[in-house]
Amino acid sequence: DRVRYLRDSKMNERSPIFLQFIECVWQITQQYPTYFEFNELFLIDIVNNHHSSIFGTFLCNSDKQRHDLRLRSRTFSLWTFLLNKRLEYVNPLWRDHPCVDLPPGSVVHLTPFSYTVNYTEKTFQSYVLCPDSENLRFWSSYYPSLRTIS
């Protein structure tokens, strides 16, 4: 089990990949603070609850395992919990704007993307933010005890 919730899990099979992903999202939010509707507390609550096993959202390694264990009917969803607290997670710097006013090289424009929803084709332009790997920071709000380690 990737987060070692199941009793038969082996310690060496635990993986911090989800935490690493959230850390990457946090790094991007620091470099582009007006491009994210959510704030840092949202990411911290996701990570903390990922490890808590209070919610069934992150239990098991797949949807099939969660389905087989009937976790949807036996546990609560983290996403429903977070949605009920959504006003706490609003980023006051967020602006709903197109990818303008960014330094050259910080945005990659992708070709138009088409998809179908309810038999209706939709097309939109998509952008990808490109973080600067030279401008990474230590996430002291999440790792406060590590600040004093030299």
Side-chain angles (χ1 to χ4, degrees), residues 48-140:
N48 286 342
N49 286 296
H50 170 260
H51 294 294
S52 73
S53 75
I54 293 171
F55 301 96
T57 307
F58 297 113
L59 296 177
C60 304
N61 292 320
S62 67
D63 283 332
K64 181 184 181 331
Q65 287 179 341
R66 283 185 286 279
H67 175 75
D68 291 348
L69 293 172
R70 298 184 325 264
L71 292 180
R72 185 172 292 217
S73 63
R74 297 169 53 204
T75 63
F76 297 102
S77 165
L78 174 61
W79 307 121
T80 301
F81 173 76
L82 296 175
L83 185 61
N84 287 330
K85 295 173 47 173
R86 69 183 169 272
L87 294 179
E88 294 178 36
Y89 302 128
V90 174
N91 174 7
L93 302 176
W94 177 69
R95 292 189 345 221
D96 187 12
H97 50 67
C99 290
V100 295
D101 73 342
L102 287 171
S106 62
V107 172
V108 175
H109 179 105
L110 302 178
T111 57
F113 176 74
S114 297
Y115 65 100
T116 303
V117 175
N118 298 332
Y119 306 103
T120 305
E121 185 171 325
K122 302 190 183 261
T123 302
F124 67 94
Q125 298 284 330
S126 182
Y127 298 89
V128 175
L129 294 172
C130 298
D132 177 6
S133 62
E134 306 268 326
N135 193 15
L136 299 179
R137 299 183 193 172
F138 179 71
W139 190 6
S140 60

Side-chain angles (χ1 to χ4, degrees), residues 17-27 43-44 46-47 139:
I17 291 175
F18 186 72
L19 173 58
Q20 292 169 341
F21 168 74
I22 297 295
E23 166 90 26
C24 290
V25 171
W26 181 83
Q27 292 291 340
L43 297 174
I44 290 173
I46 290 172
V47 173
W139 190 6

